[in-house]
Amino acid sequence: MGLQQFERRLERLVEGVFARAFRSGLQPVEVGRRLTREMDLRRTVAPRGKLAPNEFTVSLAPEDRERFAPIEDELINELIAIAQDHARAERYLFLGPVAITIETDDDLAPGTLRVVGEMLAAPPSRCYVITPDDRKLLLTDRPFTIGRLPECSFVVSDPNVSRRHAEIRPVGEDYAVSDLGSTNGTRVNGLLVNGSQTLRPGDEITVGATALRFERQ
Protein backbone atom coordinates (compact mmCIF):
# COMPACT_ATOMS: atom_id res chain seq x y z
CA MET A 1 0.00 0.00 0.00
CA GLY A 2 2.82 2.47 0.86
CA LEU A 3 2.65 5.48 3.16
CA GLN A 4 1.32 7.82 0.45
CA GLN A 5 -1.66 5.62 -0.31
CA PHE A 6 -2.09 5.03 3.43
CA GLU A 7 -2.25 8.81 3.91
CA ARG A 8 -4.84 9.22 1.15
CA ARG A 9 -7.03 6.50 2.63
CA LEU A 10 -6.84 8.11 6.06
CA GLU A 11 -7.69 11.50 4.60
CA ARG A 12 -10.92 10.02 3.26
CA LEU A 13 -11.68 8.61 6.70
CA VAL A 14 -11.54 12.04 8.35
CA GLU A 15 -13.52 13.96 5.74
CA GLY A 16 -16.88 15.47 6.56
CA VAL A 17 -17.95 15.56 10.19
CA PHE A 18 -14.49 14.55 11.46
CA ALA A 19 -12.49 16.95 9.29
CA ARG A 20 -12.45 19.81 11.81
CA ALA A 21 -11.01 17.59 14.54
CA PHE A 22 -8.00 16.73 12.34
CA ARG A 23 -7.10 20.18 10.97
CA SER A 24 -4.33 20.47 13.54
CA GLY A 25 -2.60 18.35 16.13
CA LEU A 26 -1.45 14.76 15.77
CA GLN A 27 -2.39 13.32 12.37
CA PRO A 28 -3.33 9.63 11.87
CA VAL A 29 -0.67 9.20 9.19
CA GLU A 30 2.02 10.03 11.75
CA VAL A 31 1.06 6.83 13.58
CA GLY A 32 1.73 4.90 10.37
CA ARG A 33 5.13 6.51 9.95
CA ARG A 34 6.07 5.73 13.54
CA LEU A 35 4.88 2.15 13.13
CA THR A 36 7.09 1.42 10.13
CA ARG A 37 10.01 3.14 11.86
CA GLU A 38 9.52 0.87 14.86
CA MET A 39 9.63 -2.15 12.55
CA ASP A 40 12.91 -0.94 11.03
CA LEU A 41 14.51 -0.14 14.38
CA ARG A 42 13.60 -3.45 16.01
CA ARG A 43 14.21 -5.78 13.10
CA THR A 44 16.69 -8.55 13.75
CA VAL A 45 18.47 -11.12 11.62
CA ALA A 46 17.44 -14.74 12.20
CA PRO A 47 18.53 -17.95 10.47
CA ARG A 48 15.51 -17.83 8.15
CA GLY A 49 15.58 -14.10 7.40
CA LYS A 50 14.91 -10.67 8.91
CA LEU A 51 12.34 -10.72 11.71
CA ALA A 52 10.25 -7.64 12.55
CA PRO A 53 7.79 -6.91 15.36
CA ASN A 54 4.24 -8.10 14.75
CA GLU A 55 2.42 -6.87 17.86
CA PHE A 56 2.29 -3.14 18.52
CA THR A 57 1.01 -0.91 21.31
CA VAL A 58 0.23 2.66 20.25
CA SER A 59 0.03 5.08 23.20
CA LEU A 60 -1.70 8.44 22.75
CA ALA A 61 -2.35 11.44 24.93
CA PRO A 62 -5.94 11.56 26.28
CA GLU A 63 -6.89 14.45 23.97
CA ASP A 64 -5.56 12.67 20.88
CA ARG A 65 -7.19 9.37 21.85
CA GLU A 66 -10.52 11.19 22.08
CA ARG A 67 -10.02 12.77 18.64
CA PHE A 68 -9.09 9.39 17.14
CA ALA A 69 -12.01 7.55 18.73
CA PRO A 70 -14.46 7.89 15.78
CA ILE A 71 -11.99 6.23 13.38
CA GLU A 72 -10.11 3.96 15.77
CA ASP A 73 -11.31 0.64 14.32
CA GLU A 74 -10.62 1.79 10.75
CA LEU A 75 -7.23 3.16 11.80
CA ILE A 76 -6.22 -0.17 13.34
CA ASN A 77 -7.17 -2.01 10.15
CA GLU A 78 -5.15 0.44 8.05
CA LEU A 79 -2.15 0.16 10.37
CA ILE A 80 -2.21 -3.63 10.12
CA ALA A 81 -2.24 -3.30 6.32
CA ILE A 82 0.67 -0.85 6.28
CA ALA A 83 2.71 -3.14 8.56
CA GLN A 84 2.07 -6.10 6.26
CA ASP A 85 2.93 -4.08 3.14
CA HIS A 86 6.08 -2.68 4.72
CA ALA A 87 7.16 -6.20 5.67
CA ARG A 88 6.69 -7.38 2.08
CA ALA A 89 8.64 -4.41 0.72
CA GLU A 90 11.54 -4.92 3.15
CA ARG A 91 11.30 -8.73 3.12
CA TYR A 92 10.64 -8.89 6.84
CA LEU A 93 9.18 -12.00 8.44
CA PHE A 94 6.67 -12.14 11.30
CA LEU A 95 6.50 -14.74 14.07
CA GLY A 96 2.71 -14.44 14.21
CA PRO A 97 -0.20 -12.35 12.97
CA VAL A 98 -0.03 -8.56 13.11
CA ALA A 99 -1.98 -7.09 16.02
CA ILE A 100 -2.30 -3.46 17.11
CA THR A 101 -3.64 -2.04 20.37
CA ILE A 102 -4.31 1.65 20.95
CA GLU A 103 -4.23 2.89 24.54
CA THR A 104 -4.29 6.14 26.49
CA ASP A 105 -1.20 7.37 28.35
CA ASP A 106 -1.93 10.28 30.69
CA ASP A 107 1.78 11.17 30.83
CA LEU A 108 1.97 11.98 27.11
CA ALA A 109 1.56 15.55 25.93
CA PRO A 110 -0.95 16.28 23.14
CA GLY A 111 0.60 15.71 19.73
CA THR A 112 3.07 13.09 20.94
CA LEU A 113 2.79 9.33 20.76
CA ARG A 114 4.69 6.17 21.56
CA VAL A 115 4.76 2.97 19.49
CA VAL A 116 6.27 -0.18 20.98
CA GLY A 117 6.59 -3.33 18.89
CA GLU A 118 7.23 -6.89 20.03
CA MET A 119 7.96 -10.14 18.23
CA LEU A 120 5.40 -12.62 19.50
CA ALA A 121 4.61 -16.03 18.10
CA ALA A 122 1.01 -17.06 17.62
CA PRO A 123 -0.22 -19.14 20.56
CA PRO A 124 -0.52 -22.82 19.71
CA SER A 125 -4.04 -23.77 18.81
CA ARG A 126 -5.93 -26.43 20.72
CA CYS A 127 -8.43 -28.87 19.27
CA TYR A 128 -11.54 -30.12 21.00
CA VAL A 129 -14.45 -32.49 20.59
CA ILE A 130 -17.69 -30.76 21.59
CA THR A 131 -20.19 -33.22 23.05
CA PRO A 132 -24.00 -33.02 22.69
CA ASP A 133 -24.19 -31.47 26.19
CA ASP A 134 -21.61 -28.81 25.17
CA ARG A 135 -18.65 -30.23 27.05
CA LYS A 136 -15.24 -29.49 25.52
CA LEU A 137 -12.96 -32.54 25.47
CA LEU A 138 -9.36 -31.65 24.68
CA LEU A 139 -7.59 -33.66 21.99
CA THR A 140 -3.95 -34.53 22.66
CA ASP A 141 -1.26 -36.60 20.96
CA ARG A 142 -3.03 -39.77 22.11
CA PRO A 143 -5.86 -41.42 20.13
CA PHE A 144 -9.34 -40.26 21.18
CA THR A 145 -11.62 -43.30 21.02
CA ILE A 146 -15.41 -43.32 20.73
CA GLY A 147 -17.53 -46.34 21.58
CA ARG A 148 -19.52 -48.29 24.16
CA LEU A 149 -16.55 -49.65 26.14
CA PRO A 150 -15.97 -47.88 29.48
CA GLU A 151 -12.29 -47.31 28.62
CA CYS A 152 -13.15 -45.24 25.53
CA SER A 153 -12.33 -41.53 25.65
CA PHE A 154 -16.00 -40.80 24.97
CA VAL A 155 -18.50 -43.48 25.99
CA VAL A 156 -21.76 -43.74 24.02
CA SER A 157 -24.66 -45.77 25.42
CA ASP A 158 -26.28 -46.66 22.12
CA PRO A 159 -26.84 -50.20 20.75
CA ASN A 160 -26.15 -48.84 17.26
CA VAL A 161 -22.62 -47.89 18.33
CA SER A 162 -19.88 -50.53 18.37
CA ARG A 163 -17.74 -51.19 21.43
CA ARG A 164 -14.80 -49.42 19.78
CA HIS A 165 -16.52 -47.49 17.04
CA ALA A 166 -14.17 -44.72 15.89
CA GLU A 167 -11.07 -42.81 16.88
CA ILE A 168 -9.58 -39.38 16.33
CA ARG A 169 -5.80 -39.17 16.20
CA PRO A 170 -3.21 -36.48 15.32
CA VAL A 171 -1.85 -36.44 11.79
CA GLY A 172 0.90 -33.84 11.55
CA GLU A 173 -0.66 -30.55 12.69
CA ASP A 174 -4.19 -31.82 11.98
CA TYR A 175 -6.52 -34.45 13.39
CA ALA A 176 -8.23 -37.21 11.44
CA VAL A 177 -11.15 -39.49 12.31
CA SER A 178 -11.17 -43.17 11.40
CA ASP A 179 -13.88 -45.80 11.63
CA LEU A 180 -12.68 -48.86 13.59
CA GLY A 181 -14.66 -51.42 11.61
CA SER A 182 -17.96 -50.51 13.26
CA THR A 183 -21.21 -52.16 12.21
CA ASN A 184 -23.02 -48.96 11.23
CA GLY A 185 -20.13 -46.76 10.17
CA THR A 186 -18.95 -43.27 11.11
CA ARG A 187 -20.12 -40.13 9.34
CA VAL A 188 -18.58 -36.69 8.95
CA ASN A 189 -21.09 -34.04 7.94
CA GLY A 190 -23.49 -36.82 6.95
CA LEU A 191 -21.07 -38.73 4.71
CA LEU A 192 -19.60 -42.14 5.55
CA VAL A 193 -15.91 -42.17 6.37
CA ASN A 194 -13.80 -44.52 4.27
CA GLY A 195 -10.40 -45.03 5.85
CA SER A 196 -9.54 -41.82 7.65
CA GLN A 197 -10.68 -38.25 7.08
CA THR A 198 -8.93 -35.04 8.09
CA LEU A 199 -11.14 -32.87 10.27
CA ARG A 200 -11.81 -29.17 9.83
CA PRO A 201 -13.28 -26.80 12.45
CA GLY A 202 -17.05 -27.21 12.63
CA ASP A 203 -17.09 -30.76 11.22
CA GLU A 204 -19.80 -32.94 12.73
CA ILE A 205 -18.86 -36.53 13.56
CA THR A 206 -21.83 -38.89 13.92
CA VAL A 207 -21.77 -42.34 15.51
CA GLY A 208 -25.18 -43.97 15.88
CA ALA A 209 -27.52 -41.20 17.00
CA THR A 210 -24.79 -39.15 18.66
CA ALA A 211 -23.23 -36.12 16.95
CA LEU A 212 -19.91 -34.63 18.10
CA ARG A 213 -18.36 -31.43 16.75
CA PHE A 214 -14.67 -30.84 16.05
CA GLU A 215 -13.32 -27.36 16.87
CA ARG A 216 -9.92 -25.66 16.87
CA GLN A 217 -9.26 -22.69 19.17
Short mmCIF file of all heavy atoms in Angstrom, two decimals, residues 125-163:
data_model
loop_
_atom_site.label_atom_id
_atom_site.label_comp_id
_atom_site.label_asym_id
_atom_site.label_seq_id
_atom_site.Cartn_x
_atom_site.Cartn_y
_atom_site.Cartn_z
N SER A 125 -2.61 -23.52 18.76
CA SER A 125 -4.04 -23.77 18.81
C SER A 125 -4.31 -25.10 19.49
O SER A 125 -3.47 -26.00 19.50
CB SER A 125 -4.62 -23.79 17.39
OG SER A 125 -4.05 -24.83 16.64
N ARG A 126 -5.50 -25.20 20.08
CA ARG A 126 -5.93 -26.43 20.72
C ARG A 126 -7.17 -26.95 20.02
O ARG A 126 -7.99 -26.15 19.54
CB ARG A 126 -6.21 -26.21 22.20
CG ARG A 126 -4.97 -25.88 23.02
CD ARG A 126 -5.30 -25.83 24.50
NE ARG A 126 -4.10 -25.71 25.30
CZ ARG A 126 -4.08 -25.81 26.64
NH1 ARG A 126 -5.21 -26.01 27.29
NH2 ARG A 126 -2.95 -25.71 27.30
N CYS A 127 -7.28 -28.26 19.95
CA CYS A 127 -8.43 -28.87 19.27
C CYS A 127 -9.29 -29.61 20.29
O CYS A 127 -8.77 -30.21 21.24
CB CYS A 127 -7.95 -29.82 18.17
SG CYS A 127 -7.06 -28.98 16.84
N TYR A 128 -10.58 -29.55 20.06
CA TYR A 128 -11.54 -30.12 21.00
C TYR A 128 -12.60 -30.93 20.26
O TYR A 128 -12.89 -30.68 19.08
CB TYR A 128 -12.26 -29.02 21.79
CG TYR A 128 -11.36 -28.15 22.64
CD1 TYR A 128 -10.76 -27.02 22.10
CD2 TYR A 128 -11.13 -28.46 23.97
CE1 TYR A 128 -9.94 -26.21 22.89
CE2 TYR A 128 -10.32 -27.66 24.75
CZ TYR A 128 -9.72 -26.53 24.22
OH TYR A 128 -8.92 -25.75 24.98
N VAL A 129 -13.20 -31.85 21.00
CA VAL A 129 -14.45 -32.49 20.59
C VAL A 129 -15.54 -31.90 21.48
O VAL A 129 -15.43 -31.92 22.71
CB VAL A 129 -14.38 -34.02 20.75
CG1 VAL A 129 -15.77 -34.63 20.63
CG2 VAL A 129 -13.47 -34.61 19.70
N ILE A 130 -16.57 -31.34 20.84
CA ILE A 130 -17.69 -30.76 21.59
C ILE A 130 -18.80 -31.81 21.65
O ILE A 130 -19.28 -32.28 20.61
CB ILE A 130 -18.21 -29.47 20.92
CG1 ILE A 130 -17.04 -28.52 20.60
CG2 ILE A 130 -19.24 -28.80 21.81
CD1 ILE A 130 -16.27 -28.06 21.80
N THR A 131 -19.20 -32.17 22.86
CA THR A 131 -20.19 -33.22 23.05
C THR A 131 -21.61 -32.65 22.91
O THR A 131 -21.80 -31.42 22.91
CB THR A 131 -20.04 -33.85 24.44
OG1 THR A 131 -20.39 -32.87 25.43
CG2 THR A 131 -18.59 -34.29 24.67
N PRO A 132 -22.62 -33.52 22.81
CA PRO A 132 -24.00 -33.02 22.69
C PRO A 132 -24.45 -32.14 23.85
O PRO A 132 -25.34 -31.30 23.69
CB PRO A 132 -24.83 -34.31 22.62
CG PRO A 132 -23.90 -35.32 22.04
CD PRO A 132 -22.56 -34.98 22.61
N ASP A 133 -23.84 -32.33 25.05
CA ASP A 133 -24.19 -31.47 26.19
C ASP A 133 -23.20 -30.32 26.35
O ASP A 133 -23.07 -29.73 27.43
CB ASP A 133 -24.29 -32.29 27.48
CG ASP A 133 -22.99 -33.03 27.80
OD1 ASP A 133 -22.05 -32.98 26.96
OD2 ASP A 133 -22.91 -33.65 28.87
N ASP A 134 -22.49 -29.98 25.25
CA ASP A 134 -21.61 -28.81 25.17
C ASP A 134 -20.37 -28.89 26.05
O ASP A 134 -19.77 -27.87 26.38
CB ASP A 134 -22.38 -27.51 25.50
CG ASP A 134 -23.32 -27.12 24.38
OD1 ASP A 134 -23.03 -27.44 23.22
OD2 ASP A 134 -24.37 -26.51 24.67
N ARG A 135 -19.94 -30.09 26.39
CA ARG A 135 -18.65 -30.23 27.05
C ARG A 135 -17.54 -30.17 26.01
O ARG A 135 -17.70 -30.65 24.89
CB ARG A 135 -18.57 -31.55 27.82
CG ARG A 135 -19.38 -31.56 29.12
CD ARG A 135 -19.21 -32.89 29.85
NE ARG A 135 -19.74 -34.00 29.08
CZ ARG A 135 -19.13 -35.18 28.93
NH1 ARG A 135 -17.94 -35.39 29.47
NH2 ARG A 135 -19.71 -36.14 28.23
N LYS A 136 -16.41 -29.59 26.40
CA LYS A 136 -15.24 -29.49 25.52
C LYS A 136 -14.21 -30.50 25.98
O LYS A 136 -13.65 -30.37 27.06
CB LYS A 136 -14.66 -28.07 25.54
CG LYS A 136 -15.56 -27.02 24.92
CD LYS A 136 -15.04 -25.61 25.15
CE LYS A 136 -13.66 -25.40 24.57
NZ LYS A 136 -13.22 -23.99 24.70
N LEU A 137 -13.94 -31.51 25.15
CA LEU A 137 -12.96 -32.54 25.47
C LEU A 137 -11.71 -32.29 24.64
O LEU A 137 -11.73 -32.31 23.41
CB LEU A 137 -13.54 -33.93 25.17
CG LEU A 137 -14.88 -34.25 25.85
CD1 LEU A 137 -15.34 -35.65 25.48
CD2 LEU A 137 -14.78 -34.09 27.37
N LEU A 138 -10.60 -32.02 25.34
CA LEU A 138 -9.36 -31.65 24.68
C LEU A 138 -8.74 -32.85 23.97
O LEU A 138 -8.63 -33.94 24.55
CB LEU A 138 -8.37 -31.08 25.71
CG LEU A 138 -6.99 -30.68 25.19
CD1 LEU A 138 -7.11 -29.50 24.25
CD2 LEU A 138 -6.07 -30.34 26.37
N LEU A 139 -8.32 -32.64 22.73
CA LEU A 139 -7.59 -33.66 21.99
C LEU A 139 -6.10 -33.47 22.24
O LEU A 139 -5.60 -32.35 22.28
CB LEU A 139 -7.90 -33.56 20.49
CG LEU A 139 -9.35 -33.84 20.09
CD1 LEU A 139 -9.55 -33.55 18.60
CD2 LEU A 139 -9.75 -35.27 20.41
N THR A 140 -5.39 -34.58 22.39
CA THR A 140 -3.95 -34.53 22.66
C THR A 140 -3.22 -35.35 21.59
O THR A 140 -3.77 -35.61 20.52
CB THR A 140 -3.65 -35.09 24.06
OG1 THR A 140 -3.98 -36.48 24.10
CG2 THR A 140 -4.46 -34.34 25.13
N ASP A 141 -2.00 -35.76 21.91
CA ASP A 141 -1.26 -36.60 20.96
C ASP A 141 -1.62 -38.08 21.08
O ASP A 141 -1.06 -38.93 20.39
CB ASP A 141 0.25 -36.41 21.14
CG ASP A 141 0.71 -36.74 22.56
OD1 ASP A 141 -0.14 -36.98 23.44
OD2 ASP A 141 1.94 -36.74 22.79
N ARG A 142 -2.56 -38.40 21.95
CA ARG A 142 -3.03 -39.77 22.11
C ARG A 142 -4.34 -39.97 21.34
O ARG A 142 -5.14 -39.03 21.21
CB ARG A 142 -3.25 -40.10 23.59
CG ARG A 142 -2.00 -39.94 24.45
CD ARG A 142 -2.35 -40.03 25.91
NE ARG A 142 -2.85 -41.36 26.24
CZ ARG A 142 -2.10 -42.35 26.70
NH1 ARG A 142 -0.81 -42.15 26.89
NH2 ARG A 142 -2.60 -43.53 26.99
N PRO A 143 -4.59 -41.18 20.84
CA PRO A 143 -5.86 -41.42 20.13
C PRO A 143 -7.06 -41.17 21.04
O PRO A 143 -7.04 -41.53 22.22
CB PRO A 143 -5.76 -42.89 19.72
CG PRO A 143 -4.30 -43.20 19.71
CD PRO A 143 -3.70 -42.35 20.80
N PHE A 144 -8.08 -40.53 20.48
CA PHE A 144 -9.34 -40.26 21.18
C PHE A 144 -10.36 -41.27 20.64
O PHE A 144 -10.76 -41.19 19.48
CB PHE A 144 -9.78 -38.82 20.91
CG PHE A 144 -11.05 -38.41 21.60
CD1 PHE A 144 -11.01 -37.75 22.82
CD2 PHE A 144 -12.29 -38.66 21.02
CE1 PHE A 144 -12.18 -37.36 23.44
CE2 PHE A 144 -13.46 -38.27 21.63
CZ PHE A 144 -13.41 -37.61 22.86
N THR A 145 -10.74 -42.23 21.48
CA THR A 145 -11.62 -43.30 21.02
C THR A 145 -13.08 -43.02 21.40
O THR A 145 -13.37 -42.42 22.44
CB THR A 145 -11.20 -44.65 21.62
OG1 THR A 145 -11.11 -44.53 23.04
CG2 THR A 145 -9.84 -45.07 21.07
N ILE A 146 -13.97 -43.49 20.54
CA ILE A 146 -15.41 -43.32 20.73
C ILE A 146 -16.06 -44.69 20.64
O ILE A 146 -15.80 -45.44 19.69
CB ILE A 146 -16.01 -42.40 19.65
CG1 ILE A 146 -15.28 -41.05 19.62
CG2 ILE A 146 -17.50 -42.18 19.86
CD1 ILE A 146 -15.58 -40.22 18.39
N GLY A 147 -16.87 -45.05 21.62
CA GLY A 147 -17.53 -46.34 21.58
C GLY A 147 -18.27 -46.64 22.88
O GLY A 147 -18.39 -45.79 23.76
N ARG A 148 -18.74 -47.90 22.99
CA ARG A 148 -19.52 -48.29 24.16
C ARG A 148 -18.65 -48.76 25.33
O ARG A 148 -19.12 -48.81 26.46
CB ARG A 148 -20.51 -49.41 23.81
CG ARG A 148 -21.59 -49.00 22.82
CD ARG A 148 -22.84 -49.90 22.87
NE ARG A 148 -22.56 -51.29 23.17
CZ ARG A 148 -22.34 -52.24 22.27
NH1 ARG A 148 -22.34 -51.93 20.98
NH2 ARG A 148 -22.10 -53.48 22.65
N LEU A 149 -17.41 -49.15 25.07
CA LEU A 149 -16.55 -49.65 26.14
C LEU A 149 -16.24 -48.55 27.16
O LEU A 149 -15.99 -47.39 26.78
CB LEU A 149 -15.25 -50.19 25.57
CG LEU A 149 -15.32 -51.50 24.78
CD1 LEU A 149 -13.96 -51.84 24.21
CD2 LEU A 149 -15.84 -52.63 25.65
N PRO A 150 -16.23 -48.89 28.45
CA PRO A 150 -15.97 -47.88 29.48
C PRO A 150 -14.61 -47.21 29.33
O PRO A 150 -14.43 -46.07 29.77
CB PRO A 150 -16.05 -48.68 30.79
CG PRO A 150 -16.85 -49.88 30.46
CD PRO A 150 -16.54 -50.21 29.02
N GLU A 151 -13.62 -47.91 28.74
CA GLU A 151 -12.29 -47.31 28.62
C GLU A 151 -12.16 -46.37 27.44
O GLU A 151 -11.10 -45.77 27.22
CB GLU A 151 -11.21 -48.39 28.52
CG GLU A 151 -11.40 -49.35 27.37
CD GLU A 151 -12.11 -50.64 27.80
OE1 GLU A 151 -12.94 -50.58 28.72
OE2 GLU A 151 -11.80 -51.68 27.22
N CYS A 152 -13.21 -46.19 26.65
CA CYS A 152 -13.15 -45.24 25.53
C CYS A 152 -13.05 -43.81 26.05
O CYS A 152 -13.53 -43.49 27.14
CB CYS A 152 -14.39 -45.39 24.64
SG CYS A 152 -14.38 -46.88 23.61
N SER A 153 -12.45 -42.95 25.26
CA SER A 153 -12.33 -41.53 25.65
C SER A 153 -13.71 -40.89 25.77
O SER A 153 -13.92 -40.02 26.63
CB SER A 153 -11.49 -40.77 24.61
OG SER A 153 -10.26 -41.41 24.39
N PHE A 154 -14.62 -41.28 24.89
CA PHE A 154 -16.00 -40.80 24.97
C PHE A 154 -16.91 -42.02 24.84
O PHE A 154 -16.90 -42.70 23.82
CB PHE A 154 -16.32 -39.79 23.87
CG PHE A 154 -17.71 -39.23 23.95
CD1 PHE A 154 -18.07 -38.34 24.95
CD2 PHE A 154 -18.67 -39.62 23.03
CE1 PHE A 154 -19.36 -37.85 25.02
CE2 PHE A 154 -19.97 -39.13 23.10
CZ PHE A 154 -20.31 -38.23 24.11
N VAL A 155 -17.66 -42.29 25.92
CA VAL A 155 -18.50 -43.48 25.99
C VAL A 155 -19.90 -43.13 25.51
O VAL A 155 -20.49 -42.14 25.96
CB VAL A 155 -18.54 -44.05 27.41
CG1 VAL A 155 -19.44 -45.28 27.47
CG2 VAL A 155 -17.13 -44.39 27.90
N VAL A 156 -20.42 -43.95 24.58
CA VAL A 156 -21.76 -43.74 24.02
C VAL A 156 -22.63 -44.94 24.37
O VAL A 156 -22.29 -46.08 24.03
CB VAL A 156 -21.71 -43.57 22.48
CG1 VAL A 156 -23.10 -43.30 21.93
CG2 VAL A 156 -20.76 -42.44 22.10
N SER A 157 -23.72 -44.70 25.07
CA SER A 157 -24.66 -45.77 25.42
C SER A 157 -25.72 -45.85 24.34
O SER A 157 -26.80 -45.25 24.43
CB SER A 157 -25.29 -45.49 26.79
OG SER A 157 -24.31 -45.43 27.79
N ASP A 158 -25.39 -46.57 23.28
CA ASP A 158 -26.28 -46.66 22.12
C ASP A 158 -26.02 -48.02 21.47
O ASP A 158 -24.89 -48.31 21.07
CB ASP A 158 -25.97 -45.52 21.15
CG ASP A 158 -26.89 -45.49 19.93
OD1 ASP A 158 -27.54 -46.51 19.64
OD2 ASP A 158 -26.92 -44.45 19.26
N PRO A 159 -27.05 -48.88 21.36
CA PRO A 159 -26.84 -50.20 20.75
C PRO A 159 -26.40 -50.14 19.30
O PRO A 159 -25.86 -51.11 18.77
CB PRO A 159 -28.22 -50.88 20.88
CG PRO A 159 -29.18 -49.75 21.04
CD PRO A 159 -28.45 -48.68 21.77
N ASN A 160 -26.59 -49.00 18.65
CA ASN A 160 -26.15 -48.84 17.26
C ASN A 160 -24.68 -48.44 17.14
O ASN A 160 -24.16 -48.27 16.04
CB ASN A 160 -27.02 -47.81 16.55
CG ASN A 160 -28.45 -48.29 16.38
OD1 ASN A 160 -28.68 -49.42 15.99
ND2 ASN A 160 -29.40 -47.43 16.71
N VAL A 161 -24.03 -48.26 18.31
CA VAL A 161 -22.62 -47.89 18.33
C VAL A 161 -21.80 -49.11 18.76
O VAL A 161 -22.15 -49.80 19.72
CB VAL A 161 -22.38 -46.71 19.31
CG1 VAL A 161 -20.90 -46.43 19.47
CG2 VAL A 161 -23.12 -45.47 18.80
N SER A 162 -20.73 -49.38 18.06
CA SER A 162 -19.88 -50.53 18.37
C SER A 162 -19.07 -50.26 19.65
O SER A 162 -18.95 -49.12 20.11
CB SER A 162 -18.94 -50.82 17.20
OG SER A 162 -19.66 -51.15 16.04
N ARG A 163 -18.50 -51.34 20.18
CA ARG A 163 -17.74 -51.19 21.43
C ARG A 163 -16.56 -50.24 21.24
O ARG A 163 -16.29 -49.41 22.09
CB ARG A 163 -17.27 -52.56 21.91
CG ARG A 163 -18.42 -53.46 22.38
CD ARG A 163 -17.90 -54.74 22.98
NE ARG A 163 -17.15 -55.52 22.00
CZ ARG A 163 -16.43 -56.61 22.31
NH1 ARG A 163 -16.38 -57.02 23.57
NH2 ARG A 163 -15.78 -57.27 21.36
#
